[in-house]
Amino acid sequence: MAKIGLKYGVFAPIATEPTGQLPTYGTGLVVGHMMQANLTVQYSDSKLAADDTIVETDRSFISGTLSVGTDDLTDEVLEAWLGLQEKTVGSATALRSAGTYDPPKGGFGYIRVVKKNGVRKYKAYWIYKSMWVMPNENASTKPDGTIEWQTPTVEGTIMAVGDGDATWRDEASFATETEAVAWLNELANIGEPADLTALGAAIDAAKLLDPEEYTSASWVAVAVALADAEAVTLMDSPSQTRVDAAKNALTGAMADLVEATGA
């Protein structure tokens, strides 16, 4: 599978880190147009020797480093992603860097464009916990009228979360860029809130039904769809695509109900 592109870098600050669960996130943002994303991962290399051979080995995730190049860092991104703080300095509003300002921990995602057997797909990555630092800065004059593009590269440290599995990343493949973007937007709480009205109405309708009036086989589909629909309503920021899919699955399952004999 050939990697032929990179796009749509997003960051969302961690809001809560419940014990034994994945983090929840505050409102995220797009960090800029992606130019590079270079990942280095460190694993443990612990071996247990016995009877003159290796009988056990451990290759657990320790940490990772992600180097991200973007076209620019806006003031909004500098504050949300790198922890700079807005201050009034004289007659101007400035962004301040200070030794006591810790950058926020947060989730980070991006999309890689891949191609295999002539088919283009979009592979989205979501890193659950990371912390980023201000990039080194280089400036130079324009020599002989020739433009030398100067773009920032930001480095982040990747950490495992305390969900019991030491999760650090998820990745998902999509047929379209729109689907990949929607998945990342959902995880990073980007975009307009989804309209849950129709989904709520479908849930209410399902709860009014009496399972005893339908065959067990047909009711199982409704029960599964109802549980999924209720889970979607509890998500921090479900995408409209996810909400609509849950509603359609529930209404479809209800439409397929078969009345029990003698009901």
Side-chain angles (χ1 to χ4, degrees):
M1 184 177 292
K3 278 75 173 179
I4 60 173
L6 174 71
K7 55 182 60 185
Y8 206 66
V10 298
F11 174 83
I14 290 176
T16 65
E17 293 188 75
T19 302
Q21 301 178 44
L22 296 173
T24 64
Y25 300 93
T27 301
L29 78 171
V30 179
V31 301
H33 294 101
M34 296 283 284
M35 300 178 67
Q36 66 177 33
N38 300 321
L39 175 66
T40 303
V41 181
Q42 181 182 3
Y43 297 97
S44 65
D45 189 18
S46 178
K47 298 181 177 67
L48 175 65
D51 291 338
D52 296 329
T53 188
I54 301 299
V55 295
E56 294 289 349
T57 184
D58 180 75
R59 294 287 289 169
S60 301
F61 173 84
I62 296 176
S63 67
T65 300
L66 183 62
S67 180
V68 170
T70 68
D71 64 329
D72 190 21
L73 295 173
T74 65
D75 288 355
E76 181 185 17
V77 169
L78 287 170
E79 290 185 76
W81 191 21
L82 301 180
L84 278 65
Q85 295 187 19
E86 188 175 287
K87 301 290 182 181
T88 299
V89 182
S91 60
T93 300
L95 289 181
R96 179 170 294 175
S97 302
T100 59
Y101 296 171
D102 288 329
K105 296 182 178 70
F108 188 86
Y110 57 96
I111 297 170
R112 297 187 73 174
V113 187
V114 299
K115 194 171 185 179
K116 185 175 182 180
N117 298 327
V119 178
R120 186 183 297 253
K121 290 188 177 181
Y122 298 84
K123 195 162 190 176
Y125 299 84
W126 179 252
I127 293 168
Y128 280 91
K129 186 175 181 180
S130 60
M131 179 182 282
W132 301 78
V133 296
M134 279 288 291
N136 293 325
E137 297 178 0
N138 298 297
S140 62
T141 189
K142 184 169 64 174
D144 304 324
T146 302
I147 294 176
E148 291 186 0
W149 297 103
Q150 298 165 39
T151 56
T153 299
V154 185
E155 187 170 283
T157 299
I158 300 169
M159 296 158 273
V161 300
D163 64 336
D165 292 326
T167 299
W168 65 275
R169 185 178 74 172
D170 278 339
E171 55 187 86
S173 295
F174 300 91
T176 68
E177 181 179 346
T178 299
E179 293 173 301
V181 168
W183 186 68
L184 288 181
N185 284 349
E186 183 176 274
L187 293 172
N189 295 333
I190 294 175
E192 294 296 323
D195 184 350
L196 302 176
T197 305
L199 178 59
I203 290 173
D204 291 341
K207 288 182 174 180
L208 291 175
L209 298 174
D210 183 357
E212 298 298 326
E213 297 181 1
Y214 305 96
T215 63
S216 298
S218 65
W219 182 257
V220 166
V222 173
V224 170
L226 177 59
D228 179 67
E230 291 183 312
V232 169
T233 65
L234 296 176
M235 294 174 64
D236 290 331
S237 182
S239 67
Q240 192 65 56
T241 299
R242 176 74 69 90
V243 170
D244 292 344
K247 185 265 294 181
N248 292 337
L250 181 54
T251 55
M254 289 191 289
D256 291 338
L257 281 170
V258 177
E259 291 189 2
T261 302

